[in-house]
Each structure stands twice: as C-alpha cells, then as structure tokens.
Amino acid sequence: MKFGTKAIHAGVEPDPTTGAIMTPIYQTSTYVQKSPGDHKGYEYSRTHNPTRTALQNSLAALENGKHGLCFASGMAAIDAIIKMLKPGDEVISTNDLYGGSYRIFTKIFQNYGIRFHFTNMADLSKVEALVNENTKMIWVETPTNPLLNIIDIKGCAAIAKKHNVLLVADNTFATPYLQTPLDLGADIVMHSLTKYMAGHSDVVMGAVIVNDDELHERLSFIQNACGGTPGPQDCFLVLRGIKTLHLRMERHCQNGRKVAEYLKNHPKVEKVFWPGFEDHNNHQVAKEQMRDFGGMISFVLKGDKIEDATAVLEKLHYFALAESLGGVESLCGHPATMTHASIPSAERLKAGLSDSLIRLSVGIEDVEDLIADLEQAIG
C-alpha cells in the first residue's frame, strides 16, 4: 500500500459483529472469560484494549514497523523508553531538544543515576566522540524543536550499530509521512501523537514503534506494569485523525513553504529557521531523508529584542498563542517562556535558542490569510 491508502486502511478492519466501518470505542475496563485463562485475547484494558490494538497496528504500518505501543502522552512514551536503562548507563542527545524531554532526562532520570550528554548532533563527529563503554542509547530529534536542526538518522544509525547501542528517533515534527526512521536504521521511533498524527488539538497521547521482538516485549512489559496507557476514546480520535494525515501534511508543507519564504524576505526579520532553505544547516540531509520540509518554522526579528517578539505574538490572530503544534489551526509560541522554559537560559543560548525566538506551527488555513496576519503583526 502507498502511504495514503495505509493511513485509511492499515491496521483497521470493519467490526466483525456489526460490520461498522469505523473501529468501535471499546469503553470497558475488563472482559468476561469463558473459563479461568480462557478468553478472547483481552483480559483487562490496561493491558490490552481492541480500540488501542487497532491504533497500534495502524501506527506500526505507517512507520514500516512491526510493533506499535500507545501511551497516555508523548512524555509517558519517553518515560517507558528510558526505563529500559539502569543506573550508570549514559545517553547522548541533541542540545536543541524539546523542553519536556530535557526536563525528564535531567530532573527525573538523572536522579536515578542515568547520565545524559547534550551536543550539536548536526556534526556526527561530536556524537561519536561522546560514546564510551557506558553509552547505551543515542536519542535523536529531527527536525529539532525549535530550531529545526536536521540530524542525519542514517549516520547516527551507523554509529549506534558500530558501538552496539540503541538509536531512538523522536519523529513528532516530521511524522511518517515525511520520514520513516526505522527504514534509516533507528531501533525505536517515538511520537507525541498529540501533534500532527491526531492533528486536531483534541487529544494527548504518545507512541513507540519498533521492529525488534525483544524490544517490543520489554516495552510492552513497562507499558502494562507502569500503566501509562491511553483510553479508548482518545485512541479512536487518533485513528480518525490518521485517516487524513497525508492530506493535512501536504497542506502543512505547502503553507509552510510560502510562510517561510515570506518571512525570509521581510525587512524586519533577521533569520528564519526552516529546513527547506538551501542555506539551512544540513539541508542536503533533509532532502535525502525527508519527503518534504514540514510546516514548523522559527524566526528571530531584527534587533533580537524580547519585547518586539512579545508584541508580535500578542497581535497575531489566526496564529493562536498556545502550547503545542501540529493541529489544523495555526499556532504561535515563545519557546523561552513556554515549551522550553525548563531548560536553563545559558543552555538555551548556547544551543542558539534566543529569548526572542518565535515558533510557528503553520496550519492548513488559506495561506493568504496567514501571511496577512503576519504582515499586520510584524508591521
């Protein structure tokens, strides 16, 4: 199946009892057994739920993986992955990272003896230089949040295989429509399904996709034992969102390109971060590993003053000032005080994230209206 057909059909079947074309919401906590241990594959909904099973199968198909696992949030998915490690283990990650990921790494798991190294992963020599006998995982986020840095997944996979460590790829910004990290050598793909995958700003959920049976068994155990699972209503909403993922992503990319070009030519804009520009760091890698360049854009105004950025954010209308991204509606945000506030200012600045940076999640509205909104706000 090609991607659009997968998005609509993969992993889902008409309900066998009624023929309902949409996967039912199995709003149940438990399941009746014919005899002790004699059941139909479902015992308790923390462990398995038919609506969740359909979603997990759909996600695995979209990522060209074998197994999918869903969690109550993207952070719960990250939590489960890092719980496979033990005290003394080390993780290498990018220095331009979602603030929530940085927070759980440094404020939670570092307290349990797991060490994290943050570096500019656009330069693979810096990644390999950090590998030592305690390294057990390389954590890639590409494009990164919020500077849209591009990391070579295939190159990281070669380093991971050479040193026998796991490679995890956070594919939230790209989605499997734009790139499939498992095909590029990653061992684990994770998503905040809250964003583009669900796509309608009405659900919070995370996911993990793998090919390896042993990894799936370990993560399934953590999923069930720790209980960070989503409810069937949310799984239904993500299944519904996935059916239009390919159409939405096409429009996000089209609008993103036009907005990025508009901003780049604006006399009051100093710099625009968007992987589609030829002068963007690792643009060539993006061309090779991505189908298109997405609808996420960050930019800095000339003068780099936080009060100027705040004034723009307050004036925007169609770009709603809110946390999150990837919905059908356009959103704007101020990473330094919102999504990345948990990262110390010195660390943010060292990674290139200035206090006046504005991040846009370009929606699927008519792009002329979005550009007019930016024009009236920037002036």
Side-chain angles (χ1 to χ4, degrees):
M1 286 185 283
K2 293 190 180 299
F3 191 91
T5 309
K6 273 188 189 180
I8 293 168
H9 293 288
V12 297
E13 298 288 343
D15 177 48
T17 57
T18 65
I21 196 165
M22 295 302 294
T23 303
I25 302 170
Y26 287 90
Q27 195 69 54
T28 183
S29 62
T30 193
Y31 307 82
V32 174
Q33 303 186 22
K34 183 177 179 180
S35 181
D38 182 4
H39 52 76
K40 299 178 181 180
Y42 295 93
E43 303 166 84
Y44 189 61
S45 275
R46 171 168 40 78
T47 311
H48 298 293
N49 177 282
T51 314
R52 192 169 88 223
T53 298
L55 174 57
Q56 292 177 158
N57 291 340
S58 176
L59 292 167
L62 290 176
E63 283 286 4
N64 296 333
K66 189 174 179 182
H67 307 286
L69 293 165
C70 288
F71 294 85
S73 67
M75 296 312 305
I78 293 171
D79 178 74
I81 294 168
I82 304 299
K83 277 177 178 168
M84 292 194 297
L85 303 178
K86 63 182 187 302
D89 290 347
E90 298 187 12
V91 179
I92 301 168
S93 187
T94 176
N95 63 349
D96 177 30
L97 184 71
Y98 167 54
S101 302
Y102 180 90
R103 180 177 56 223
I104 197 171
F105 289 169
T106 60
K107 303 296 184 185
I108 304 296
F109 284 106
Q110 207 151 267
N111 294 335
Y112 295 99
I114 299 170
R115 189 177 180 192
F116 295 86
H117 302 275
F118 301 97
T119 189
N120 178 5
M121 296 182 82
D123 182 351
L124 293 183
S125 65
K126 293 183 177 180
V127 177
E128 188 150 28
L130 288 169
V131 177
N132 62 57
E133 61 186 16
N134 297 317
T135 306
K136 295 296 184 289
M137 186 177 288
I138 298 173
W139 188 282
V140 170
E141 182 181 283
T142 183
T144 61
N145 183 2
L147 295 176
L148 289 307
N149 284 313
I150 299 298
I151 298 167
D152 184 347
I153 299 172
K154 203 177 273 189
C156 286
I159 295 170
K161 297 291 183 292
K162 177 181 175 182
H163 298 280
N164 195 30
V165 302
L166 289 172
L167 177 62
V168 183
D170 182 338
N171 205 26
T172 298
F173 268 28
T175 80
Y177 178 79
L178 295 182
Q179 69 186 14
T180 45
L182 293 177
D183 293 337
L184 297 170
D187 299 292
I188 301 172
V189 174
M190 67 80 47
H191 284 274
S192 171
L193 299 176
T194 309
K195 315 303 193 297
Y196 286 108
M197 299 295 280
H200 293 78
S201 302
D202 55 8
V203 65
V204 173
M205 197 187 300
V208 174
I209 301 96
V210 299
N211 272 320
D212 184 79
D213 292 341
E214 184 186 352
L215 272 179
H216 175 245
E217 187 176 335
R218 291 170 68 190
L219 287 162
S220 292
F221 177 83
I222 294 169
Q223 181 196 44
N224 182 51
C226 298
T229 52
Q233 172 76 31
D234 286 349
C235 291
F236 173 87
L237 289 171
V238 178
L239 274 169
R240 185 183 66 172
I242 283 173
K243 291 182 185 297
T244 58
L245 176 63
H246 55 303
L247 300 176
R248 290 185 286 106
M249 290 306 296
E250 284 177 9
R251 185 61 171 260
H252 284 300
C253 291
Q254 290 167 9
N255 284 359
R257 178 179 295 275
K258 291 176 181 176
V259 168
E261 288 171 350
Y262 164 78
L263 289 169
K264 191 168 189 177
N265 293 315
H266 198 291
K268 291 188 177 181
V269 174
E270 178 68 35
K271 184 170 177 60
V272 181
F273 301 88
W274 182 67
F277 290 137
E278 288 189 6
D279 60 355
H280 187 86
N281 193 23
N282 269 359
H283 167 73
Q284 193 58 40
V285 174
K287 278 182 69 175
E288 291 170 5
Q289 71 184 23
M290 298 175 72
R291 182 190 296 214
D292 207 331
F293 303 110
M296 296 301 300
I297 301 165
S298 292
F299 68 99
V300 178
L301 296 167
K302 285 184 177 173
D304 199 15
K305 295 179 181 176
I306 192 167
E307 55 267 30
D308 292 342
T310 300
V312 169
L313 291 165
E314 289 174 349
K315 288 178 187 173
L316 285 167
H317 174 63
Y318 294 123
F319 285 91
L321 179 59
E323 300 265 0
S324 202
L325 58 103
V328 291
E329 65 290 310
S330 293
L331 297 177
C332 62
H334 182 238
T337 59
M338 296 169 73
T339 53
H340 291 66
S342 59
I343 301 176
S345 178
E347 292 297 317
R348 292 198 307 266
L349 293 170
K350 192 163 65 175
L353 200 176
S354 74
D355 284 345
S356 64
L357 185 91
I358 293 172
R359 190 190 74 181
L360 301 180
S361 172
V362 181
I364 64 171
E365 302 94 337
D366 290 305
V367 72
E368 294 83 1
D369 291 327
L370 298 179
I371 289 173
D373 192 25
L374 288 163
E375 180 64 32
Q376 65 81 25
I378 299 172

